[in-house]
Amino acid sequence: MTELNKIKQDHRRFKQIVRGKIKRNLRKYMSQGEITGRQGKDIVKVPLPRIDIPRFRFSQKQQGGVGQGEGQPGDSLGQGEESPGQAGPAGNQEGEHGVEVDVSLEELAEIMGEELELPHIEPKGVKRLETVKDKYSGIRTTGPESLRHFKRTYKAALQRMIASGEYDPDNPIIVPTKEDMRYRSWKQTSLPESNALILYMMDVSGSMGDEQKEIVRIESFWIDTWLRSQYEGIESRYIIHDATAKEVDRDTFFRTRESGGTMISSAYKLALQILEEEYAVDEWNVYLFHFSDGDNWSVDDTGDCMKLMRDGLLPKANLFCYGQVESPYGSGQFIKDINEHFSGHERVIVSEIKNRDGIYDSIKEFLGRGL
């Protein structure tokens, strides 16, 4: 085996080890938010414990071991090493460090889908938007230097020098001339593209504290990661509400905290307005996620919410997900109202999120139907 092939084999093995560790620790990553704080544009940094390649360790000679020397069943095989985690005096040796591994969002979504057993999504609607893209399709003799095809240029120069007798095998210098230059050519192609809108709504009234919003932030990162792996074009929009609703950017969505009361219908009305004015139902796959502690201003407003869902939001959406984040101040009533009105509805999913450990199961509930 060549050195290059050995390196490639070791790299594949390392990636398999990393993938396995992420899968085994996915629940921890989802609950602690370690990945969401490290995300880049298309790459995230995943913190892992130190990775050691498995290998045999041999003890010193004349000390006995497994299968040799005196001993009885149950005897310790070691030399009395301290158990990990035992307290001891201060030392001067370097501690064990973890590593951060770069993982693409696409690969993270694959791992997430495998571990949570998420079905791939079939986009709804018969109409698809088209996007125009440049595709390299051939070679031509003119073009900008940035598109010069070096291998084809070298080959053309070599052929010319051999044909003219200029090529010297003992001094194989190839000097391309203007007629040897080759450049990539392209053509524009229209590609069908399935588009999706993720519309997040969150209660930011006084009963929703920082911990509740952090749970929403972590869960929305993983929802985004999965849905972006299923669609070519995707948009995310954000609505916050207390007694009134307004659209905000992502940063404001997770940082805002108000002190007023709660009227959930204000968020549903704004969401419906956005959908009706900007997103044609036959062109967009719409995903609605609402997070709250379950408190609402009045029974009448809850009734308005149910009507808005039934007559306005659900006919336009692939999925309506309601996540109720447990709070010491929220009544928790709203999830009961949704269950009463929409129990068994294919496109309505509710989830109770008691704490960060509940994020993993909540995401599996929301995305497990493949809608």
Side-chain angles (χ1 to χ4, degrees):
M1 179 183 294
T2 66
E3 188 66 24
L4 180 59
N5 287 337
K6 187 176 186 302
I7 292 173
K8 288 181 178 179
Q9 186 182 55
D10 288 345
H11 185 252
R12 284 194 299 268
R13 188 181 179 196
F14 177 78
K15 289 189 69 174
Q16 290 171 352
I17 293 173
V18 168
R19 191 182 181 96
K21 285 184 174 289
I22 294 174
K23 286 184 70 172
R24 287 193 295 274
N25 293 286
L26 189 62
R27 184 181 287 271
K28 183 191 79 169
Y29 291 133
M30 285 185 169
S31 64
Q32 296 182 6
E34 291 180 330
I35 293 179
T36 61
R38 294 171 164 83
Q39 73 178 104
K41 184 178 180 182
D42 298 310
I43 299 291
V44 291
K45 291 187 178 295
V46 180
L48 294 174
R50 190 180 69 187
I51 297 175
D52 291 323
I53 301 299
R55 62 185 184 275
F56 287 107
R57 292 183 178 179
F58 300 97
S59 62
Q60 298 178 12
K61 294 181 179 180
Q62 310 301 327
Q63 289 191 358
V66 179
Q68 62 182 19
E70 298 180 359
Q72 299 297 324
D75 287 351
S76 172
L77 298 178
Q79 301 296 318
E81 296 179 356
E82 289 187 1
S83 301
Q86 289 184 342
N92 60 359
Q93 299 298 313
E94 183 179 357
E96 183 173 313
H97 299 286
V99 295
E100 285 190 341
V101 179
D102 287 346
V103 177
S104 70
L105 286 173
E106 182 180 359
E107 187 171 7
L108 190 65
E110 288 179 6
I111 295 170
M112 177 183 173
E114 291 172 6
E115 183 63 16
L116 272 65
E117 299 178 341
L118 300 179
H120 286 282
I121 293 172
E122 290 293 334
K124 72 179 180 67
V126 296
K127 186 175 181 180
R128 296 287 177 266
L129 301 185
E130 289 192 344
T131 181
V132 177
K133 294 186 177 181
D134 293 333
K135 182 180 180 181
Y136 293 117
S137 57
I139 299 294
R140 59 186 179 186
T141 56
T142 59
E145 286 300 303
S146 59
L147 294 180
R148 188 201 296 178
H149 197 297
F150 290 94
K151 185 176 181 180
R152 291 291 188 93
T153 298
Y154 174 86
K155 187 177 179 180
L158 178 60
Q159 290 174 338
R160 176 184 53 80
M161 293 182 68
I162 292 175
S164 63
E166 299 177 42
Y167 180 72
D168 182 1
D170 297 325
N171 186 27
I173 298 176
I174 307 299
V175 181
T177 60
K178 185 177 180 179
E179 57 267 24
D180 298 323
M181 298 300 178
R182 299 293 183 268
Y183 302 88
R184 292 183 178 89
S185 63
W186 72 93
K187 65 178 180 180
Q188 290 186 333
T189 57
S190 295
L191 300 175
E193 188 174 89
S194 298
N195 287 267
L197 167 70
I198 313 175
L199 183 53
Y200 293 102
M201 297 170 278
M202 181 167 64
D203 174 9
V204 293
S205 62
S207 58
M208 284 283 286
D210 291 338
E211 177 62 15
Q212 284 72 38
K213 284 190 289 185
E214 180 66 9
I215 289 172
V216 176
R217 184 184 73 86
I218 296 170
E219 183 153 340
S220 68
F221 165 78
W222 291 96
I223 291 169
D224 258 20
T225 298
W226 176 249
L227 290 179
R228 288 182 186 279
S229 74
Q230 302 295 297
Y231 291 99
E232 292 293 330
I234 201 162
E235 289 186 14
S236 298
R237 305 277 291 264
Y238 303 90
I239 292 174
I240 59 174
H241 71 88
D242 48 13
T244 59
K246 60 183 176 181
E247 185 177 5
V248 296
D249 60 29
R250 180 184 175 87
D251 187 62
T252 304
F253 183 80
F254 294 113
R255 294 180 183 275
T256 300
R257 184 176 182 181
E258 306 292 346
S259 58
T262 308
M263 291 187 67
I264 296 176
S265 65
S266 64
Y268 290 4
K269 288 175 183 175
L270 180 54
L272 182 58
Q273 179 184 336
I274 291 173
L275 294 181
E276 288 179 338
E277 293 179 357
E278 302 182 43
Y279 297 93
V281 68
D282 61 341
E283 295 179 0
W284 288 84
N285 297 273
V286 177
Y287 295 85
L288 305 173
F289 292 90
H290 179 215
F291 296 94
S292 166
D293 60 5
D295 224 5
N296 200 17
W297 176 255
S298 67
V299 174
D300 290 341
D301 192 71
T302 297
D304 291 342
C305 292
M306 300 302 113
K307 188 175 187 301
L308 285 163
M309 285 179 60
R310 182 181 63 252
D311 300 335
L313 297 176
L314 290 179
K316 301 180 184 301
N318 292 49
L319 199 62
F320 181 100
C321 297
Y322 174 71
Q324 189 156 291
V325 186
E326 188 169 295
S327 163
Y329 308 106
S331 67
Q333 176 61 36
F334 197 69
I335 195 169
K336 300 175 185 177
D337 296 322
I338 292 182
N339 279 328
E340 180 183 341
H341 287 80
F342 297 101
S343 178
H345 195 293
E346 182 186 20
R347 296 197 302 277
V348 177
I349 302 176
V350 298
S351 175
E352 291 189 78
I353 313 166
K354 295 186 179 298
N355 49 41
R356 295 193 187 198
D357 289 336
I359 293 173
Y360 181 96
D361 294 323
S362 175
I363 292 173
K364 190 168 184 177
E365 289 172 348
F366 283 161
L367 303 177
R369 293 186 187 177
L371 298 175

